Amino acid sequence: MTSPLDEKLKNSVLSGRTASVLEKSLNLLTVGDLLTHYPRRYARRGELTALAELELDSSVTIVAEVLQVQERPMKNRKGSIVEVKISDGSGILILTFFNQGWRAQQLRPGMRGIFAGKVGEYRGIRQLAHPDYELFADAPEVVASAAMSYALEPIPIYPATSTVTSWQLQSAIRTVLDTLPTLDDPVPLAVRAERGLLNFSKAIELVHRPEKDADWQSARRSLRFQEAFVLQAALLQQRMLLRSTAATPRLPGTLATGFDAAMPFTLTGDQTTVGEEIAVDMAKTTPMNRLLQGEVGSGKTLVALRAMLAVADTGGQSALLAPTEVLAAQHLRSIVATLGPDLAARLRPTLLTGQMSVPERRKAMLAAVSGSASIVIGTHALLSESVAFFDLGLVVVDEQHRFGVEQREALRQKGEVPPHVLVLTATPIPRTVAMTVFGDLDISTIAELPSGRIPIKSFVVPRANKRLYGRVWERVAEEVATGRQAFVVCPAIDAAVPEPADAPAGTVDGAASGTSASRGGSLTLTAQLSAKAAAKEAAKQAAAEAALFAAEQAKGDAETPSTHPATVAEVTEGLRHHPLLANARIASLHGRMPSEQKDAVMRSFAAGQIDVLVATTVIEVGVDVPNASAMVILDADRFGVSQLHQLRGRVGRGSVPGICLMVTGADEESLALERVQAVASTLDGFELAQKDLELRREGDVLSTIQSGGRSSLRLLRVATDGELIGEAREAAGEILDTDPMLADHTPLREALLRRLDESEATFLAKN
């Protein structure tokens, strides 16, 4: 049965011209699109105001009597002006209408009514230009009552464009509502009754045509719950469908148990717990679909490696997908070192990236397809149609937000039997985001850091403060003098080329790196949750400005650096000439460097052969150099909350204390400065993840866009509606437990089809 919401606007009661304008301006195609284009706020015509109390530029509503009406020609142009003098008994106000002579016939002396508009002034006389009004011919007491009702009635204000005003939208919606039949409600009656919610038709009516504030408030509450309910039903149903497919159980054997027995350190409690959750999942005949979130340096990759060993014990292979070549190469080195020579020789961890030579690629592909490589680590090159596996049992997606849906699905499809999937992210995810963006995944959390870590001290350094800015380089020199190492991060490579702070896989290494760990410490990986909004902003700003770093540093003075973004090229040169760092070994690293050169620099820094590494955000993820103790982030206001948290996590990873100095030129009370101060105020990634969500717009939770852009959510707000989302998820789960295909819940089934367009349904099916 076709719902009235599916009717095309061009076939509805609206005129063809109106439907065309709505489609072109706001992409509103159906009746459902129009009716779910909800008001962004509600205004009033203003409290009833006495003429003697009028304030300039204020919106007012006045009950008054027409005293005089005059129409006269304009002096300097064609046309006429109608001037209407009104009074409430305490003062006089002029109403003006341009080229609307018919107003003189409608407004006649002696008439009373309500007049609403914005107070202006012309030649010292207060006036309302083109006000709204409503005339009354009833008894005075009726007029007064109607006036109060008119003044207090909420006016819906819609998201509009330059070609479609809020008033035009209101008119179109009212026209549609006048002929709209009763709507089927996707939220079952029992669920609504338990929560005191309005039915769908009533909620739609009152959200657009409220008579009092309580009307639209109850309507929005009902519609917000419905939105959460339909979304959670879609996610939970997809999870059920996924669990109905078959997978090969992967049980740990001699390889996994031998590795655990030989580990020279003890797993943290969280690592043990999560490892057990993964083992239980992988022992089932249905595929695991699990998200592993954890703090920077919490040892997520070690947990993933133990899962890979369980797959190898059953003769299967694991694929680790990393976003950049730097990170993939460091994963390889870390895994080989962690396995040890004997186990590494048996499992043959193999690297496959796009910049490898043809013979190297051919050799790696042969190892994958023959099954001789039990662990294959690579970038987007793994997704090539020419890459095949002998028995792909586990897919590990590192920094999941850097890969599109199609890329992840392409790797999963390389398994003859659906492989188990483990998705990693290093920035803790707020519960509300987990229930929306990742609602079809089971979630594990590692919040506990390995013992012996010393908390990092973080400071915000105003760039305009010459003394404090000069102290930044003194601190770097002090760390180097003690034999430690430092990072200096810049938002741009050189004056002409910024480095995107969050480049996707297969492009410039916008944020990359790997892990350099040994058997004596946990493997780590960092990733960030949906920082693309801030990253794109940073890249856009950096591209728009010519970069110039303080050449005065070469002279050793303390001049405040330029307001342009710092660049790797000029910062490196400036530090090499800085008197305090004259003997320091300084190198640079960025995404435009050849893979071999990037790898060589990373190896040298990890080996202690470089004292100060000046880099873009290629060092944001996975770099594990225990001797690195200082992190300087120049133009910190150009980075997002989670990105700053990841960068800070590059230091303080050993037994030496870490310090992070965030240099910023952001204005006081600006959002950019608030981001930096939020990071400096806490080391708690869960707290920062929530703060990050509050500072950003929600991303489209049902598309490949996972951050900051236009959201498909209408009324639901991930940052504030956590309790509601949880309640809706529980209610949807109870229904799906007894009716997984929604055969007895037709309105909900149809709502899912309406809510999810083809691309969104594909996203849910493949995520």
Side-chain angles (χ1 to χ4, degrees):
M1 179 179 177
T2 302
S3 168
L5 298 177
D6 297 327
E7 184 181 9
K8 298 292 185 181
L9 288 176
K10 62 183 179 183
N11 300 328
S12 70
V13 294
L14 298 180
S15 68
R17 181 178 179 278
T18 298
S20 177
V21 171
L22 291 174
E23 178 180 351
K24 291 180 180 178
S25 300
L26 292 164
N27 196 32
L28 303 178
L29 304 177
T30 67
V31 169
D33 292 339
L34 179 62
L35 294 183
T36 56
H37 189 78
Y38 299 123
R40 59 184 174 87
R41 66 183 179 88
Y42 295 85
R44 285 198 182 92
R45 292 176 175 83
E47 302 296 334
L48 298 180
T49 309
L51 293 184
E53 301 172 0
L54 293 182
E55 295 183 4
L56 196 63
D57 294 327
S58 60
S59 294
V60 297
T61 299
I62 304 154
V63 176
E65 179 180 344
V66 177
L67 299 181
Q68 183 181 22
V69 180
Q70 177 185 1
E71 182 179 6
R72 61 177 177 81
M74 288 188 281
K75 296 180 179 179
N76 299 320
R77 66 181 70 177
K78 293 182 179 180
S80 64
I81 299 176
V82 173
E83 294 179 335
V84 180
K85 184 182 295 185
I86 63 174
S87 174
D88 66 348
S90 65
I92 292 177
L93 185 68
I94 302 297
L95 313 180
T96 57
F97 301 91
F98 296 90
N99 294 319
Q100 295 183 16
W102 56 271
R103 299 281 189 184
Q105 303 302 317
Q106 189 179 69
L107 293 165
R108 297 190 298 275
M111 287 185 166
R112 288 178 58 82
I114 315 164
F115 303 88
K118 189 173 183 179
V119 180
E121 188 176 62
Y122 180 69
R123 294 182 176 178
I125 300 175
R126 298 292 168 92
Q127 65 176 16
L128 300 182
H130 291 272
D132 293 323
Y133 60 85
E134 191 166 305
L135 299 174
F136 299 95
D138 304 282
E141 62 273 11
V142 177
V143 172
S145 174
M148 182 63 69
S149 174
Y150 183 75
L152 296 180
E153 180 182 317
I155 303 172
I157 306 298
Y158 293 89
T161 69
S162 59
T163 54
V164 181
T165 67
S166 175
W167 302 110
Q168 290 170 323
L169 281 163
Q170 183 182 20
S171 175
I173 288 171
R174 286 186 171 184
T175 300
V176 169
L177 286 175
D178 286 341
T179 59
L180 188 71
T182 301
L183 299 173
D184 291 331
D185 200 321
V187 183
L189 175 60
V191 176
R192 297 199 311 271
E194 183 180 352
R195 294 161 178 81
L197 303 176
L198 302 174
N199 64 51
F200 192 15
S201 291
K202 189 66 173 178
I204 283 290
E205 173 71 23
L206 293 183
V207 81
H208 292 298
R209 294 201 286 208
E211 295 181 358
K212 53 185 181 298
D213 286 345
D215 290 344
W216 64 260
Q217 289 167 353
S218 60
R220 286 175 68 94
R221 186 170 70 89
S222 300
L223 293 169
R224 187 181 294 114
F225 182 87
Q226 184 197 102
E227 186 171 14
F229 181 78
V230 172
L231 173 60
Q232 291 305 315
L235 292 167
L236 291 173
Q237 187 182 59
Q238 176 56 36
R239 187 168 71 169
M240 287 183 173
L241 293 174
L242 180 66
R243 289 176 174 176
S244 67
T245 60
T248 303
R250 304 291 180 175
L251 301 172
T254 56
L255 293 175
T257 56
F259 175 80
D260 287 349
M263 277 195 301
F265 55 89
T266 302
L267 296 174
T268 66
D270 283 353
Q271 285 177 317
T272 300
T273 299
V274 172
E276 291 171 352
E277 292 172 345
I278 292 173
V280 170
D281 281 357
M282 293 177 59
K284 296 177 181 178
T285 56
T286 55
M288 174 178 71
N289 201 29
R290 184 168 290 275
L291 168 70
L292 173 53
Q293 63 170 343
E295 268 287 10
V296 176
S298 61
K300 296 176 300 300
T301 315
L302 178 61
V303 173
L305 178 58
R306 295 177 69 229
M308 295 178 193
L309 290 170
V311 173
D313 271 319
T314 59
Q317 298 166 282
S318 299
L320 172 56
L321 181 62
T324 64
E325 296 195 12
V326 171
L327 182 53
Q330 292 200 34
H331 270 317
L332 176 68
R333 291 195 299 272
S334 300
I335 288 175
V336 168
T338 304
L339 291 174
D342 294 338
L343 201 51
R346 292 182 60 183
L347 299 180
R348 286 191 61 190
T350 298
L351 181 67
L352 179 59
T353 69
Q355 290 193 13
M356 295 171 65
S357 65
V358 173
E360 289 175 327
R361 280 176 55 86
R362 187 178 294 118
K363 182 179 178 180
M365 291 167 61
L366 179 61
V369 74
S370 68
S372 62
S374 297
I375 300 174
V376 181
I377 305 158
T379 57
H380 57 288
L382 287 178
L383 310 177
S384 171
E385 292 184 4
S386 59
V387 176
F389 293 85
F390 180 76
D391 180 17
L392 182 60
L394 174 66
V395 170
V396 179
V397 181
D398 207 347
E399 292 194 273
Q400 57 79 28
H401 66 280
R402 296 181 187 272
F403 293 97
V405 172
E406 294 299 332
Q407 292 173 308
R408 296 195 295 271
E409 175 66 4
L411 184 55
R412 196 177 70 86
Q413 289 291 337
K414 292 181 182 293
E416 187 172 336
V417 176
H420 300 283
V421 176
L422 182 63
V423 173
L424 306 181
T425 183
T427 296
I429 301 170
R431 175 175 171 269
T432 51
V433 176
M435 288 189 295
T436 50
V437 182
F438 304 108
D440 57 335
L441 302 177
D442 295 308
I443 298 177
S444 295
T445 301
I446 300 179
E448 185 180 359
L449 295 177
S451 60
R453 292 285 175 87
I454 301 175
I456 303 168
K457 295 181 179 180
S458 304
F459 301 94
V460 177
V461 180
R463 188 168 54 196
N465 189 312
K466 298 179 181 180
R467 181 184 63 81
L468 289 179
Y469 183 73
R471 178 64 181 146
V472 168
W473 307 117
E474 291 175 3
R475 285 294 287 116
V476 171
E478 290 167 4
E479 293 299 309
V480 171
T482 62
R484 298 169 186 165
Q485 295 163 276
F487 294 101
V488 178
V489 176
C490 307
I493 299 173
D494 56 35
V497 182
E499 175 133 311
D502 197 9
T507 63
V508 174
D509 296 341
S513 218
T515 306
S516 180
S518 66
R519 292 294 300 270
S522 299
L523 283 167
T524 63
L525 168 74
T526 61
Q528 58 182 352
L529 167 68
S530 301
K532 287 186 178 179
K536 288 181 179 178
E537 178 185 358
K540 182 179 180 180
Q541 291 175 350
E545 301 178 66
L548 178 64
F549 182 71
E552 292 84 359
Q553 291 297 332
K555 304 176 184 179
D557 63 24
E559 290 291 327
T560 301
S562 165
T563 57
H564 299 296
T567 70
V568 171
E570 297 199 15
V571 169
T572 301
E573 186 65 20
L575 293 182
R576 283 173 176 164
H577 289 85
H578 196 293
L580 296 176
L581 297 169
N583 298 320
R585 296 165 296 179
I586 301 173
S588 58
L589 180 70
H590 56 75
R592 285 194 301 167
M593 295 166 61
S595 296
E596 298 80 4
Q597 187 178 356
K598 285 186 288 188
D599 194 50
V601 171
M602 289 305 308
R603 285 177 179 270
S604 296
F605 189 70
Q609 299 168 358
I610 296 172
D611 298 316
V612 180
L613 183 61
V614 183
T616 55
T617 50
V618 294
I619 57 91
E620 176 190 345
V621 180
V623 178
D624 189 5
V625 182
N627 191 50
S629 59
M631 167 65 70
V632 177
I633 306 174
L634 299 176
D635 295 322
D637 48 283
R638 296 178 183 272
F639 302 100
V641 169
S642 60
Q643 197 167 29
L644 291 171
H645 183 52
Q646 302 298 342
L647 290 169
R648 176 174 57 186
R650 299 309 100 215
V651 298
R653 303 175 74 86
S655 58
V656 298
I659 183 172
C660 180
L661 304 172
M662 299 178 229
V663 180
T664 174
D667 294 334
E668 290 290 337
E669 300 182 2
S670 66
L671 183 61
L673 182 59
E674 186 177 352
R675 287 199 305 265
V676 179
Q677 291 173 334
V679 177
S681 67
T682 181
L683 297 174
D684 188 334
F686 289 90
E687 181 181 340
L688 286 175
Q690 183 62 37
K691 183 66 174 178
D692 191 16
L693 180 62
E694 293 168 359
L695 292 174
R696 294 184 290 106
R697 292 174 296 169
E698 289 96 344
D700 190 331
V701 301
L702 290 179
S703 76
T704 54
I705 303 171
Q706 294 181 12
S707 68
R710 178 184 176 185
S711 174
S712 67
L713 301 178
R714 302 297 194 268
L715 296 175
L716 197 65
R717 291 296 171 261
V718 174
T720 57
D721 291 332
E723 184 176 344
L724 176 69
I725 293 171
E727 187 179 340
R729 184 177 181 84
E730 182 179 352
E734 291 175 356
I735 289 175
L736 288 166
D737 284 342
T738 58
D739 186 14
M741 300 310 296
L742 300 176
D744 298 328
H745 295 82
T746 302
L748 177 55
R749 186 177 68 249
E750 293 179 349
L752 293 186
L753 295 175
R754 188 178 307 111
R755 178 66 177 81
L756 308 178
D757 63 23
E758 184 177 349
S759 64
E760 291 172 335
T762 300
F763 170 79
L764 285 178
K766 295 181 179 180
N767 190 25

